[in-house]
Amino acid sequence: MTAVITSNEKIREIEQLLYQEAACLDRPDLDAWINLYTEDGTYWMPAIPDQEDPHTHISLFYDDRVLMEVRRRNFVHPAAASKDYDVRASHIISNVQVRELDEKSGDCTVTSNFHCFLYYRDKQTPYAGKYTHELVRDGDRYKIRSKRVDIINCDATLNTIIIYI
Amino acid sequence: MSYTEQQIADMVQPTKVHRSLYTDPEIFDLEMERIWANAWIYIGHESQVPEKGSYMTLNYGKVPVVMVRDNDNDVHVLHNRCGHKGAKLVDRPCGKIPAFRCCYHGWRYRLDGKLLGVPHLQGYDGTDFDKDDPQYSMQKMTSESFRGFVFATMNPNPPDLRTWMGGAADVMDNLCDRAPEGEVEAAGGVLRYEHECNWKMFIENLNDTMHPMIVHRSVVESALDYIKTLPEGSPRRDEAEIIPPFGASYETFEETGITGFRFGHHYDGGKTSIHAKYTLDPEYEAAMLKAYGKERMQEILSFNTHNTLYYPSLTIKSAVQNIRVVRPIAYNKTIIETWSFRLKGAPDSMLKRTLLYSRLINSNGSMVGPDDLTAYFRMQEGLQSQASDWIEMHRNFARDEKLEDRMVGKGTSDLDVRTQFSAWREYMTEAA
């Protein structure tokens, strides 16, 4: 692994994937979203800053493929009362930095800052923080192997977080 | 105050309660004074203040308090308030200090709350200020602990904690006995979840076995729908044991039974519960067998409860090793804390499962808790309607069985809610 950032072209490609993922969550469309992840992909939202792992400390979210599949179905299930309300989001992603890059495979770790406004139950809630994406090459495209979402108020008292941020 | 004692007493009838209990801020204030200041309120676990000088802060009702371990290793619950101008002395969730020192004028206190020093003391010469007058120290609350779980009260003449817990103490014993070393410790942090509802709506739901098949149908069906797509021989998943029982039938829940006690405590389950069929980790089983022998181990592991309420502030899941703590903020706002516990002497896989459970069922991002919360805030909003002043609780009324120290009923009985409101009425009218 080297910590160099290579071509503009690669950065553009990575940014486009992050934007594409954010667009899936803006709508939100979890059927499209899940396809951006590898079969062993994970989505993790820690409950404290600098949390070391999802198994020895509580997290707000830690979904692997199995739970993503359950959540995808539950999100549109007609009997889920908490989903009776419109869910709309707007994500802005910036400060994209490639932290680690395997020049040979193209696999990389990318960090970015995000602001997300989430509209749910007549209320608009702002979330802000840092994304860490692990991306792996899958043919001519990237897929997400892991996404870590560190919201800056992760250890505050929070209300329901109805959808992935 | 605008309510007479009789009016308050009349708000709780054998099979119905008045909607003002949920909608009137004045009732909320009275509850804080009469229930929350007189019952034993859960503060925290001794393992959360592991060393001399370790502290954790919280609100007891509206009162800021701090649990702290002093230099003699005694754990105290103190009012978190300077004896001078009243500033909170510590304001982080937890930490470690050599002594309390006020951020304003630098008054210093020992870890047991005694005032140690006041800067530039000569200014008080010739006045009747006496540094050693206890009124200037941090005020101590009455506290007691049961197997490491610390409770405090402002009641000047409380029943002792063990007596107050009654038969519901069996479940806390069971939680600790499930550790090969017979002790638990808080582990893996806390989730704090804001609920836009009255505190009673949350605790009334704990043993409400008529709701899971409705409220949690979506997640159960989503899980089962996905499990169907998996090939034969796919690895066992804890999630597949945790989620589907929430969709169990009325008949299944009927059999679990509900047991109620004086002072408002109750639990559902005993012989069986929705946690009863979890796979027993072989490494854990071996550790338990070694610690207790086969007969005692089976006795411990076959006592299967679901939720146990220590009215009004604490609910525990002994079989899962997590607890939820009720922190009321206003008549329509409550914070629910979820804490997880490690069974001392058990393999790490047990804490991992506990944290999985807390995340899957109780977290802000879970697929279970938010559906419960939706029912609560809809009640909170719906009860603004004056269509009727009463909320019924008739189910299995007069069919519960009265034993010497407890009431037992079918799993779908409203016995749990009637148990709570009988305590509500006692606290709200007796203390006046």
Side-chain angles (χ1 to χ4, degrees):
Chain A
M1 295 278 187
T2 54
V4 289
I5 294 162
T6 51
S7 64
N8 259 340
E9 199 185 326
K10 186 149 274 168
I11 292 278
R12 285 275 166 270
E13 185 190 354
I14 289 166
E15 283 175 349
Q16 286 306 315
L17 176 65
L18 301 186
Y19 298 161
Q20 195 187 347
E21 192 212 353
C24 292
L25 295 177
D26 281 350
R27 285 196 288 277
D29 178 354
L30 294 185
D31 295 341
W33 176 83
I34 201 171
N35 288 327
L36 301 175
Y37 282 71
T38 60
E39 282 298 318
D40 62 351
T42 55
Y43 176 95
W44 179 26
M45 188 186 292
I48 49 167
D50 305 316
Q51 188 173 329
E52 282 177 15
D53 70 76
H55 301 299
T56 59
H57 193 286
I58 191 72
S59 301
L60 290 156
F61 287 80
Y62 180 67
D63 284 9
D64 62 2
R65 189 73 177 198
V66 170
L67 287 174
M68 288 177 188
E69 288 282 2
V70 176
R71 199 179 289 274
R72 172 168 81 86
R73 289 164 169 80
N74 184 56
F75 193 73
V76 293
H77 195 293
S82 63
K83 315 294 186 301
D84 265 2
Y85 309 87
D86 284 355
V87 177
R88 297 171 212 145
S90 173
H91 293 73
I92 297 287
I93 298 174
S94 188
N95 306 15
V96 179
Q97 288 180 294
V98 179
R99 298 285 178 178
E100 287 177 38
L101 171 74
D102 186 325
E103 295 276 9
K104 214 163 118 198
S105 64
D107 296 355
C108 57
T109 301
V110 181
T111 61
S112 55
N113 281 12
F114 70 90
H115 287 181
C116 166
F117 281 86
L118 189 64
Y119 173 73
Y120 173 63
R121 276 186 60 218
D122 278 345
K123 214 165 66 185
Q124 189 157 293
T125 307
Y127 296 95
K130 186 173 114 173
Y131 287 147
T132 307
H133 283 84
E134 263 188 315
L135 305 180
V136 293
R137 209 69 201 165
D138 180 34
D140 61 353
R141 58 180 279 203
Y142 273 117
K143 279 200 163 185
I144 303 167
R145 175 171 280 159
S146 72
K147 178 183 182 182
R148 173 181 174 138
V149 182
D150 287 284
I151 56 173
I152 56 174
N153 57 343
C154 60
D155 52 354
T157 300
L158 298 164
N159 204 300
T160 299
I161 307 177
I162 199 68
I163 182 81
Y164 301 120
I165 300 294
Chain B
M1 102 167 203
S2 56
Y3 291 108
T4 65
E5 289 306 305
Q6 194 55 47
Q7 280 172 325
I8 290 172
D10 289 346
M11 285 178 179
V12 170
Q13 306 277 335
T15 55
K16 62 181 182 179
V17 298
H18 198 274
R19 73 180 179 93
S20 325
L21 267 67
Y22 305 91
T23 56
D24 186 345
E26 188 184 334
I27 294 286
F28 177 82
D29 289 342
L30 286 171
E31 288 174 340
M32 292 301 104
E33 284 168 26
R34 298 182 181 183
I35 302 175
W36 287 76
N38 281 302
W40 284 101
I41 299 300
Y42 179 65
I43 299 296
H45 192 267
E46 284 171 1
S47 60
Q48 292 172 268
V49 287
E51 294 167 35
K52 293 170 182 176
S54 300
Y55 71 86
M56 67 173 276
T57 58
L58 64 140
N59 275 1
Y60 172 115
K62 291 180 177 176
V63 180
V65 302
V66 53
M67 175 167 79
V68 61
R69 188 179 290 271
D70 73 10
N71 285 323
D72 296 325
N73 260 319
D74 291 326
V75 173
H76 303 280
V77 180
L78 307 171
H79 285 253
N80 183 8
R81 182 197 145 146
C82 184
H84 180 210
K85 298 260 189 185
K88 281 165 82 175
L89 287 160
V90 273
D91 210 12
R92 294 182 67 84
C94 59
K96 199 178 159 192
I97 45 173
F100 292 98
R101 182 176 177 279
C102 184
C103 68
Y104 198 3
H105 300 97
W107 286 30
R108 285 187 310 118
Y109 301 84
R110 245 170 28 196
L111 293 169
D112 64 0
K114 168 94 175 63
L115 179 60
L116 274 178
V118 173
H120 205 52
L121 190 62
Q122 58 267 44
Y124 289 102
D125 287 350
T127 74
D128 64 0
F129 174 79
D130 174 7
K131 180 172 87 62
D132 295 319
D133 184 334
Q135 71 164 304
Y136 298 113
S137 283
M138 291 169 76
Q139 301 299 308
K140 209 176 280 188
M141 292 178 66
T142 304
S143 65
E144 280 187 36
S145 79
F146 182 76
R147 300 199 69 161
F149 291 84
V150 179
F151 291 75
T153 182
M154 297 193 194
N155 185 341
N157 298 300
D160 70 82
L161 177 63
R162 182 65 188 74
T163 303
W164 176 84
M165 291 170 91
D170 294 349
V171 183
M172 199 169 271
D173 270 327
N174 183 254
L175 168 63
C176 301
D177 291 344
R178 281 171 182 259
E181 292 175 18
E183 278 182 17
V184 296
E185 59 185 354
V190 60
L191 290 172
R192 293 193 170 86
Y193 193 163
E194 180 189 81
H195 280 45
E196 306 103 312
C197 69
N198 188 272
W199 61 276
K200 296 186 291 300
M201 290 174 179
F202 173 80
I203 60 171
E204 285 171 42
N205 188 57
L206 296 168
N207 289 175
D208 179 321
T209 58
M210 293 298 294
H211 86 279
M213 59 294 284
I214 308 288
V215 171
H216 305 305
R217 183 162 77 91
S218 66
V219 67
V220 170
E221 286 184 359
S222 300
L224 294 177
D225 183 48
Y226 175 63
I227 290 169
K228 268 197 315 223
T229 69
L230 295 173
E232 284 275 320
S234 294
R236 186 192 71 80
R237 294 276 302 219
D238 283 335
E239 291 89 335
E241 296 185 351
I242 292 173
I243 296 175
F246 279 85
S249 66
Y250 294 112
E251 291 71 24
T252 302
F253 279 112
E254 196 87 286
E255 278 171 31
T256 61
I258 297 185
T259 307
F261 300 90
R262 207 189 153 198
F263 297 115
H265 318 317
H266 55 76
Y267 60 77
D268 60 332
K271 289 192 189 71
T272 189
S273 82
I274 62 168
H275 308 308
K277 289 184 179 155
Y278 291 176
T279 298
L280 191 57
D281 183 296
E283 209 186 320
Y284 170 62
E285 187 179 9
M288 287 293 282
L289 194 62
K290 196 169 162 211
Y292 293 106
K294 194 166 180 191
E295 200 180 327
R296 177 70 183 129
M297 176 186 81
Q298 279 173 347
E299 191 180 34
I300 292 168
L301 297 180
S302 63
F303 184 48
N304 256 297
T305 50
H306 170 219
N307 282 317
T308 301
L309 172 68
Y310 300 94
Y311 185 86
S313 69
L314 173 67
T315 172
I316 72 170
K317 284 179 191 283
S318 57
V320 178
Q321 297 97 49
N322 86 352
I323 68 168
R324 281 172 292 166
V325 184
V326 183
R327 306 287 186 209
I329 305 297
Y331 77 98
N332 60 355
K333 189 172 163 188
T334 308
I335 292 172
I336 304 299
E337 302 173 350
T338 300
W339 298 87
S340 302
F341 283 79
R342 184 201 307 277
L343 299 170
K344 284 192 181 176
D348 292 345
S349 56
M350 295 303 286
L351 177 62
K352 189 177 166 187
R353 192 185 65 184
T354 299
L355 291 167
L356 168 68
Y357 188 97
S358 297
R359 190 174 74 235
L360 212 52
I361 308 302
N362 305 134
S363 119
N364 312 58
S366 106
M367 289 178 273
V368 174
D371 287 324
D372 290 310
L373 175 54
T374 302
Y376 310 154
F377 66 67
R378 286 194 190 178
M379 288 190 285
Q380 192 66 47
E381 290 174 18
L383 285 172
Q384 292 299 325
S385 152
Q386 294 150 352
S388 162
D389 271 339
W390 297 96
I391 298 155
E392 70 88 18
M393 45 178 191
H394 287 86
R395 195 172 281 278
N396 277 70
F397 181 67
R399 298 208 291 270
D400 301 322
E401 192 185 350
K402 188 167 172 27
L403 303 179
E404 195 187 339
D405 69 331
R406 62 191 67 193
M407 297 281 283
V408 292
K410 286 188 170 182
T412 59
S413 174
D414 281 335
L415 160 63
D416 53 334
V417 193
R418 291 191 290 265
T419 299
Q420 290 180 25
F421 283 110
S422 147
W424 188 94
R425 199 169 189 266
E426 201 175 326
Y427 278 116
M428 290 291 280
T429 52
E430 197 181 56

